[in-house]
Amino acid sequence: MRNLGYVLEDLYDEEQDAGLGNSGLGRLAACFLDSLATNDYPAWGYGIRYKYGMFSQKIINHCQMEDVDNWLSHGNPWEVERLDIMYPVHFYGTCKPTSKDGSHVIWEPKEKILAVAYDTPIPGYSTYNTLNMRLWSAKSSKEFDLSQFNSGNFYKSIEDREYSEQITAVLYPSDDTPNGKELRLKQQYFMVSATIQDLLRRFRDTGRPLHQFPEHVAIQLNETHPVLAVIELLRILIDVEGISWNEAFDMTKRTFSFTCHSVSVRQLEKWSVELFEKMLPRHLMIIYQINHQFLLQVSKKWPEDVGKLSRMSIIEEGSVKMVRMAHLAIATCHTINGVAEVHSQILRVEVFPEFFKFWPERFYDVTNGVTPRRWIHQANPSLSLVISSWTRTRNWVNHLDLLSGLKAYIDSGSLQKQWANAKADNKARLAKFVEKTCGIRISTNALFDVHTTRIAESKRQLLNIIYVIYRYMRLKEMTLEEKSKMAPRVVFFAGKAVPGYDMAKLIIRLINSVADTVNSDKAVGDLLKVVFLPNFSVSMAEIIIPGADLSQHISTAGSEASGTSNMKFMMNGCLIVGTMDGANVEIHKELGEENMFIFGTRAYDVEGFRRALKSGEIKMDQRYVAVLDIIERGYFGKDIFNPILDSLRNGNDHWLLSVDFASYAKTQEEIDAVYKNHSLWIKKSILSTASSPRFSSDRSIKQYANHIWNIKPSRRTGPVSVSVERLQTLGIINDIQPSTSPSNEFVFEERMREHVQQSNSRGNNFVPSSSLKSSQPLR
């Protein structure tokens, strides 16, 4: 490549991130696939091959603007189009009974779309185990209408193709309109129908009888979006395979398990019965049958409680009947798990309390995790070298518990120096990226304070920027001597707002307006800078996370299921400021109170404070009030941010910014004091990394494998390095002279396999052994 004038590292930047997932759920799935492959589990991942990602974010005049995320514009070199694997997916139509009692039904669909497979290999680390990620792309069953074309209706001739392909065109299309809702439900069913058909086909290829399907196949539903897979498998088993209802339902229940990421009832996914009846009439019939049998069980346990029947029903009665997808999942899956200890407790006590009383054995906890291969070893090579040196092994990459060995050297000046140097290298890289991306020069001596997540009121970027304004105003009032005692700080924001979420977009505008004012104020200089990095992505995170000193995870307690970015920052020696929410609770347990910065209301007090705010019982902190007044006076834009102010006043402060501000401001002072004590900060940084083993996705996957899926590792054997002499002795390469004829290792592997088969057929039972290895393997 150098001879062609290219540097490989420069080409990395040309590859776009795959537009396959939104926020943490997509990144979590990627970590889980890596851990499955690395730990030798036999597993596949299924999803949709979106032509366009959610959107590409640009900041113009302080505002978020959305552009097309055309991530496939240059193709995807890692995928293989599988035109040999294609399944029909049907929609709409009518259902007709084929038996007198109505127990057998034929669905006569009106529309057929083809699902084409695209395969991407997922190699494990330090193993030959390679999994597959199969993504589905929509293709018209009628590619081109020649008669329409010949009649001069050129658009009509390709209309069916355009209509079909829109199903997999865009990740998370807006569902603000009826057509948008219909497209979302179509996407969900398209994915699960193709996947279930593929799983059944692959299982049949093993030659096993169909009734053994649950013993060999485990399907994990990641949130409610794929829950229709349960109904699709039931439909095929009953309508196509002719299996009885009871047996089919038993097989289905033993196959599926469900991960719920929601933290409140209002977040749970629901679809209108009317839309189901129109698009998937047979599936609605099956859902009604499941609900009928389920409610019979409930009424048997609680015969006098009609209200409980209504609350637990899969069908929500009302002016618009709705299908409750989470209720459907709980009624049909053998295990339901939360994604953090506190989140699992919220599911049991607040979200599904009656289901938990009904089936307590079905509820389980698996705290999320992230892969250290990507988030330390690949993203932070400087730190990775330091860790390998002081743990005296590179095996920590696959056995993260070895990081705890760093605690023995935490007082070593040599380790502290190497650790600080690695952090300095990463901060320099981040500073260079900021200057290139935003045109802002920042000092690497400053504390790099990072807040990266989806922009939303619940994530409380507003609390952060309100404190930034307060800090800025304080700095402007200080004398030179007072300023000299302040720790310089760069506050980073990165994240996207959902296009239809006006308040979130207004928060982005406020952040950028504040940044413009602060960064141009020479009186403040390097003591405070504010940076909003547009179009946050995994590749950007790999630069930000290693360079961060402090990471903010400050959602209102009880509003975050888990969070995984806090785990990534922790692994990279970043200190955390946060509330007792999601995985912060478990991080706090591993690190201890003194090694992270905890503030704010606890989850059990949240509702009480909300009521108190509504009734006017709580007096706001005057510093907080002063900041709101500054915003109202138009310091960062006149009359622009009134909706934000309205959401924070008069008892409307749902996310408790006014309640937590005083605690947050005090914690920020503690952070400044610790950062100015360089040795203490570095010690806490080392301890952060050394205490992170629990948050490896390897641990999460082993929990799923042992307690939910009931699967064991199945390590693949790889090719064997064999000397030329040994191959000649075995009679495999008598006719090849390697000195003049370089040969392909694959050819030797194939010929070795042929030789083994021939030897075994003669009763020699040949097994490749260590005696075949050579210090000079054939290349």
Side-chain angles (χ1 to χ4, degrees):
M1 291 192 66
R2 288 194 182 94
N3 292 338
L4 294 172
Y6 292 101
V7 178
L8 181 61
E9 287 75 13
D10 292 341
L11 291 181
Y12 290 158
D13 295 335
E14 298 301 314
E15 183 180 7
Q16 296 187 51
D17 284 17
L20 295 175
N22 177 44
S23 191
L25 277 182
R27 292 192 287 273
L28 176 67
C31 287
F32 278 5
L33 284 174
D34 173 80
S35 287
L36 283 163
T38 298
N39 289 281
D40 299 311
Y41 287 109
W44 279 26
Y46 281 90
I48 290 179
R49 181 184 181 267
Y50 296 101
K51 185 176 181 181
Y52 303 107
M54 192 176 178
F55 62 86
S56 177
Q57 180 194 56
K58 295 180 179 178
I59 303 299
I60 300 175
N61 295 327
H62 302 158
C63 300
Q64 170 180 293
M65 304 298 289
E66 298 91 30
D67 202 355
V68 175
D69 177 16
N70 191 6
W71 73 281
L72 287 170
S73 58
H74 300 301
N76 179 7
W78 310 111
E79 70 181 7
V80 177
E81 183 180 18
R82 298 293 304 273
L83 293 176
D84 58 321
I85 299 176
M86 194 180 301
Y87 300 100
V89 180
H90 299 100
F91 301 93
Y92 309 108
T94 57
C95 295
K96 294 182 178 179
T98 58
S99 61
K100 290 182 180 180
D101 61 359
S103 59
H104 294 281
V105 175
I106 287 181
W107 177 26
E108 296 180 346
K110 184 180 178 183
E111 182 179 288
K112 181 175 81 171
I113 291 170
L114 299 177
V116 181
Y118 284 76
D119 288 352
T120 301
I122 309 294
Y125 182 87
S126 192
T127 176
Y128 287 106
N129 194 42
T130 301
L131 308 184
N132 187 35
M133 178 175 69
R134 177 158 289 172
L135 304 178
W136 302 108
S137 183
K139 181 181 177 68
S140 172
S141 58
K142 190 176 182 181
E143 184 76 11
F144 184 75
D145 191 330
L146 185 61
S147 62
Q148 290 283 359
F149 185 84
N150 290 336
S151 301
N153 296 322
F154 304 125
Y155 179 75
K156 275 279 187 184
S157 66
I158 60 169
E159 187 177 43
D160 192 65
R161 186 186 73 187
E162 295 293 317
Y163 172 78
S164 300
E165 291 179 357
Q166 74 176 350
I167 290 180
T168 55
V170 180
L171 169 66
Y172 281 165
S174 174
D175 59 356
D176 293 336
T177 65
N179 286 341
K181 286 181 171 62
E182 192 167 331
L183 180 55
R184 281 270 190 110
L185 186 58
K186 258 192 170 181
Q187 283 186 338
Q188 292 185 11
Y189 178 65
F190 172 82
M191 184 192 81
V192 303
S193 177
T195 298
I196 294 299
Q197 291 181 70
D198 193 50
L199 288 171
L200 287 168
R201 189 268 307 166
R202 289 171 56 206
F203 181 77
R204 289 191 191 96
D205 288 348
T206 67
R208 296 185 177 96
L210 190 55
H211 70 266
Q212 292 183 7
F213 186 81
E215 297 164 24
H216 298 277
V217 179
I219 302 175
Q220 187 72 34
L221 303 173
N222 191 22
E223 250 303 331
T224 54
H225 309 123
V227 167
L228 274 172
V230 177
I231 310 304
E232 179 68 352
L233 179 58
L234 261 176
R235 182 190 69 82
I236 293 173
L237 293 179
I238 296 168
D239 294 355
V240 179
E241 301 295 337
I243 296 174
S244 70
W245 172 274
N246 289 340
E247 184 182 357
F249 188 81
D250 177 68
M251 288 174 63
T252 302
K253 189 182 75 173
R254 289 189 290 129
T255 300
F256 285 96
S257 46
F258 167 54
T259 300
C260 181
H261 295 265
S262 301
V263 292
S264 69
V265 173
R266 61 185 177 82
Q267 291 180 338
L268 299 175
E269 184 180 32
K270 295 184 287 189
W271 292 102
S272 74
V273 168
E274 182 182 11
L275 179 57
F276 253 101
E277 197 165 28
K278 172 187 173 184
M279 186 189 298
L280 301 167
R282 176 57 179 145
H283 297 74
L284 182 62
M285 292 175 68
I286 293 172
I287 291 170
Y288 272 127
Q289 179 68 14
I290 293 170
N291 195 43
H292 174 70
Q293 294 192 355
F294 168 60
L295 292 181
L296 287 177
Q297 290 178 275
V298 175
S299 62
K300 187 176 180 180
K301 184 176 179 65
W302 294 297
E304 305 299 326
D305 198 335
V306 178
K308 200 176 252 57
L309 290 175
S310 175
R311 291 189 299 272
M312 295 181 71
S313 174
I314 296 168
I315 305 298
E316 180 182 82
E317 301 293 339
S319 57
V320 178
K321 283 188 175 183
M322 307 293 286
V323 179
R324 296 162 165 160
M325 302 305 285
H327 290 207
L328 177 61
I330 296 172
T332 55
C333 294
H334 61 78
T335 306
I336 297 91
N337 73 276
V339 291
E341 284 181 6
V342 66
H343 174 244
S344 297
Q345 185 65 10
I346 288 171
L347 293 184
R348 295 184 187 105
V349 176
E350 298 179 21
V351 184
F352 306 120
E354 290 163 323
F355 283 96
F356 176 63
K357 289 176 184 175
F358 193 60
W359 284 312
E361 72 282 357
R362 292 193 184 185
F363 286 78
Y364 187 66
D365 166 50
V366 183
T367 297
N368 284 339
V370 298
T371 168
R373 267 90 48 193
R374 173 176 288 276
W375 293 109
I376 307 179
H377 192 53
Q378 176 178 307
N380 199 341
S382 300
L383 187 63
S384 182
L385 286 172
V386 175
I387 293 171
S388 296
S389 174
W390 284 86
T391 58
R392 295 179 174 83
T393 178
R394 291 180 61 185
N395 289 339
W396 64 266
V397 177
N398 283 5
H399 303 280
L400 206 62
D401 55 299
L402 293 172
L403 291 188
S404 61
L406 292 169
K407 294 178 183 178
Y409 309 103
I410 200 165
D411 292 316
S412 166
S414 180
L415 172 58
Q416 290 179 25
K417 183 178 180 180
Q418 291 177 35
W419 200 272
N421 288 340
K423 178 62 71 175
D425 290 344
N426 288 313
K427 290 179 74 171
R429 180 175 64 151
L430 176 54
K432 184 178 179 182
F433 178 77
V434 168
E435 185 172 5
K436 178 182 176 182
T437 306
C438 304
I440 302 171
R441 289 190 177 184
I442 55 177
S443 169
T444 55
N445 293 323
L447 186 157
F448 281 13
D449 174 355
V450 173
H451 197 166
T452 58
T453 185
R454 174 172 53 88
I455 308 297
E457 291 165 280
S458 63
K459 304 294 184 180
R460 300 211 296 188
Q461 287 92 353
L462 260 180
L463 179 60
N464 190 349
I465 198 63
I466 285 171
Y467 173 76
V468 168
I469 296 170
Y470 164 69
R471 189 181 182 95
Y472 170 61
M473 292 304 174
R474 275 186 63 208
L475 285 168
K476 286 181 69 67
E477 295 170 357
M478 285 181 179
T479 64
L480 289 175
E481 184 180 354
E482 288 172 327
K483 286 180 181 178
S484 67
K485 297 176 183 177
M486 291 291 290
R489 189 180 294 214
V490 181
V491 182
F492 296 83
F493 294 88
K496 297 180 179 180
V498 175
Y501 193 173
D502 293 336
M503 184 63 77
K505 295 175 81 169
L506 196 58
I507 292 169
I508 290 176
R509 187 171 184 179
L510 177 61
I511 292 169
N512 282 286
S513 298
V514 172
D516 200 26
T517 300
V518 171
N519 297 342
S520 60
D521 193 332
K522 294 181 181 178
V524 173
D526 286 340
L527 284 174
L528 183 63
K529 296 289 184 185
V530 182
V531 176
F532 188 97
L533 288 163
N535 207 34
F536 183 61
S537 64
V538 171
S539 293
M540 187 186 293
E542 289 179 333
I543 299 172
I544 294 173
I545 291 172
D549 293 307
L550 179 74
S551 181
Q552 304 220 23
H553 305 272
I554 59 175
S555 53
T556 311
S559 64
E560 183 79 62
S562 169
T564 52
S565 63
N566 45 7
M567 303 171 186
K568 296 165 190 171
F569 282 102
M570 180 190 188
M571 284 182 180
N572 282 272
C574 179
L575 274 60
I576 288 174
V577 54
T579 51
M580 291 295 276
D581 193 30
N584 281 355
V585 175
E586 288 162 79
I587 291 174
H588 176 264
K589 189 183 296 183
E590 297 295 316
L591 266 176
E593 181 84 35
E594 68 281 5
N595 294 305
M596 63 187 296
F597 303 101
I598 294 294
F599 75 97
T601 307
R602 299 303 192 255
Y604 47 78
D605 289 326
V606 166
E607 288 306 318
F609 276 114
R610 283 174 178 159
R611 288 192 297 270
L613 277 171
K614 284 285 184 183
S615 63
E617 297 173 35
I618 294 179
K619 188 177 180 180
M620 291 187 185
D621 187 289
Q622 288 307 302
R623 297 168 296 178
Y624 177 83
V625 171
V627 171
L628 298 191
D629 289 344
I630 288 168
I631 296 171
E632 187 173 37
R633 291 201 299 269
Y635 202 93
F636 306 105
K638 193 166 180 60
D639 299 330
I640 297 171
F641 304 112
N642 288 340
I644 288 177
L645 298 173
D646 292 341
S647 74
L648 300 177
R649 291 170 168 166
N650 303 317
N652 297 324
D653 183 12
H654 182 77
W655 302 106
L656 306 187
L657 277 68
S658 57
V659 175
D660 284 350
F661 179 81
S663 174
Y664 183 61
K666 182 181 178 182
T667 301
Q668 294 292 352
E669 292 175 5
E670 294 171 9
I671 291 167
D672 284 341
V674 176
Y675 187 71
K676 285 188 286 186
N677 185 337
H678 182 70
S679 177
L680 179 59
W681 188 277
I682 292 298
K683 284 183 182 180
K684 289 179 182 290
S685 175
I686 296 169
L687 189 62
S688 181
T689 300
S691 302
S692 66
R694 170 169 170 73
F695 304 105
S696 169
S697 50
D698 294 349
R699 187 265 315 146
S700 303
I701 287 301
K702 287 172 184 175
Q703 270 190 270
Y704 278 108
N706 295 334
H707 298 283
I708 297 178
W709 303 332
N710 193 28
I711 62 171
K712 297 185 183 301
S714 179
R715 192 169 182 86
R716 297 175 64 91
T717 55
V720 182
S721 297
V722 184
S723 68
V724 174
E725 294 79 9
R726 181 62 170 152
L727 290 171
Q728 289 174 331
T729 301
L730 293 170
I732 296 175
I733 58 167
N734 292 336
D735 56 333
I736 298 178
Q737 296 297 323
S739 59
T740 57
S741 304
S743 300
N744 189 308
E745 284 186 34
F746 177 75
V747 173
F748 288 122
E749 188 182 348
E750 289 297 302
R751 295 180 69 173
M752 173 67 82
R753 190 178 295 113
E754 291 171 8
H755 181 80
V756 170
Q757 290 171 349
Q758 291 170 3
S759 298
N760 289 344
S761 67
R762 293 193 293 268
N764 296 335
N765 294 322
F766 175 82
V767 179
S769 67
S770 57
S771 63
L772 294 175
K773 293 181 180 178
S774 167
S775 59
Q776 297 292 326
L778 187 64
R779 295 294 181 188

